[in-house]
């Protein structure tokens, strides 16, 4: 499943003329650890989470929430953005089915028609963003403007405010 998705992503990035670098590393899917292996600040890692949002009693939508690696997703913000009545993280099996890859390797792109991409603007502050390329042992550093152009995500604040330190 992930091998085909990796090949499709590379083909799509090349076809779109994207500026990216492949980074080989030890197999790792945890954001903090893989960011260290790749040699960048965790804030530039694209952490990808699948969220299930209920819209009333009969409609369920799924979104791919893409946030900085050092941020926490605000489920209430996602729920409000979609005018939902309930939001939660999708179950692992459903999330992997929608993403097309296993947890820890999810792309900040959607290849599923029922999966909308919402990216927090804080992730877009750097020149590049980093993510596992549908594999635990290979990542991509992608130019931020190329990510926006190719993924066409909905950009909205979906992270929790960072708590202020008390001295």
């Amino acid at each position: 499943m992930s091998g085909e998705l990796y090949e499709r992503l590379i083909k799509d990035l090349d076809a779109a003329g994207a500026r990216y670098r492949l980074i080989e590393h030890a197999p790792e899917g945890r954001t903090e650890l893989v960011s260290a292996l790749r040699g960048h600040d965790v804030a530039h890692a694209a952490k990808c989470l699948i969220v299930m949002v209920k819209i009333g009693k009969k409609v369920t939508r799924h979104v791919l929430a893409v946030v900085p690696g050092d941020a926490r997703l605000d489920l209430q913000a996602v729920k409000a953005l979609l005018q939902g009545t309930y939001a939660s993280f999708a179950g692992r099996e459903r999330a992997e089915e929608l993403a097309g890859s296993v947890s820890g390797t999810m792309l900040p792109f959607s290849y599923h028609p029922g999966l909308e991409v919402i990216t927090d603007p804080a992730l877009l502050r750097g020149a590049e963003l980093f993510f596992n390329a549908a594999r635990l042992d290979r990542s991509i550093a992608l130019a931020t403007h190329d990510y926006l152009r190719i993924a066409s995500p909905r950009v909205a604040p979906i992270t929790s405010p960072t708590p202020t330190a008390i001295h």
Side-chain angles (χ1 to χ4, degrees), residues 57-137:
K57 293 184 179 192
K58 296 187 179 188
V59 177
T60 300
R61 290 177 58 190
H62 288 89
V63 298
L64 171 59
V66 184
V67 301
D70 62 348
R72 291 180 62 87
L73 178 65
D74 182 346
L75 286 171
Q76 296 307 310
V78 175
K79 180 178 95 172
L81 194 62
L82 297 180
Q83 300 175 329
T85 52
Y86 174 81
S88 69
F89 291 104
R92 184 182 195 118
E93 190 174 301
R94 182 69 174 137
E96 291 177 352
E97 174 190 329
L98 290 166
S101 63
V102 298
S103 185
T105 68
M106 292 179 183
L107 301 174
F109 296 89
S110 174
Y111 285 105
H112 191 286
L115 188 63
E116 177 186 1
V117 181
I118 302 174
T119 302
D120 190 89
L123 180 64
L124 308 174
R125 292 184 186 137
E128 291 180 310
L129 54 93
F130 298 80
F131 54 93
N132 275 9
R135 304 167 47 147
L136 288 172
D137 64 347

Side-chain angles (χ1 to χ4, degrees), residues 18-38:
R19 279 176 286 202
Y20 69 92
R21 296 179 285 122
L22 291 175
I23 303 167
E24 307 246 353
H25 51 77
E28 183 56 62
R30 292 168 290 180
T31 306
E32 298 78 19
L33 298 177
V34 75
S35 293
L37 290 172
R38 295 185 295 224

Side-chain angles (χ1 to χ4, degrees), residues 32-49:
E32 298 78 19
L33 298 177
V34 75
S35 293
L37 290 172
R38 295 185 295 224
H40 65 83
D41 188 300
V42 71
H44 299 293
K47 185 164 55 174
C48 303
L49 306 157

